[in-house]
Amino acid sequence: MFAIIHLIDSLISIYLWCLFIFVILTWLIHFGIVNTQNRLIFLAMDVLYKITDPVLRPIRNILPNFGGIDISPIILVLALIFIRNLI
């Protein structure tokens, strides 16, 4: 039983890191620091988008529009940390 709990905790930690990297890369792209013409950046963003978007999309549909601010990653991080502490 301990092994399953440890596996779930590790998967949540990895997902949190992917989410943080996705958010930071998104900021860097929007501020013009990183160029998406670079194949490595494009591939990394594509993989991270495919991993994080299926979970973020329902949260974005529930939240009201805050203009250009997307707080769905913050809500997802709080939910993941809550689940991780609950386990």
Side-chain angles (χ1 to χ4, degrees):
M1 187 67 180
F2 180 72
I4 294 172
I5 292 173
H6 186 66
L7 176 67
I8 293 171
D9 183 51
S10 297
L11 289 175
I12 290 174
S13 296
I14 291 170
Y15 196 82
L16 282 170
W17 277 105
C18 289
L19 189 63
F20 287 139
I21 293 168
F22 176 72
V23 168
I24 290 171
L25 273 176
T26 304
W27 288 346
L28 292 175
I29 288 171
H30 285 298
F31 289 130
I33 297 170
V34 175
N35 190 1
T36 56
Q37 298 297 324
N38 185 346
R39 292 298 295 166
L40 180 65
I41 299 298
F42 180 78
L43 181 64
M45 281 301 293
D46 188 44
V47 168
L48 290 171
Y49 180 79
K50 288 180 182 177
I51 291 173
T52 58
D53 191 57
V55 180
L56 289 174
R57 191 179 315 124
I59 297 171
R60 287 181 185 135
N61 290 338
I62 294 171
L63 292 175
N65 189 5
F66 290 111
I69 299 173
D70 183 20
I71 63 167
S72 59
I74 296 170
I75 293 174
L76 181 59
V77 165
L78 291 175
L80 288 173
I81 290 173
F82 175 75
I83 292 169
R84 194 167 144 195
N85 289 335
L86 191 63
I87 293 175

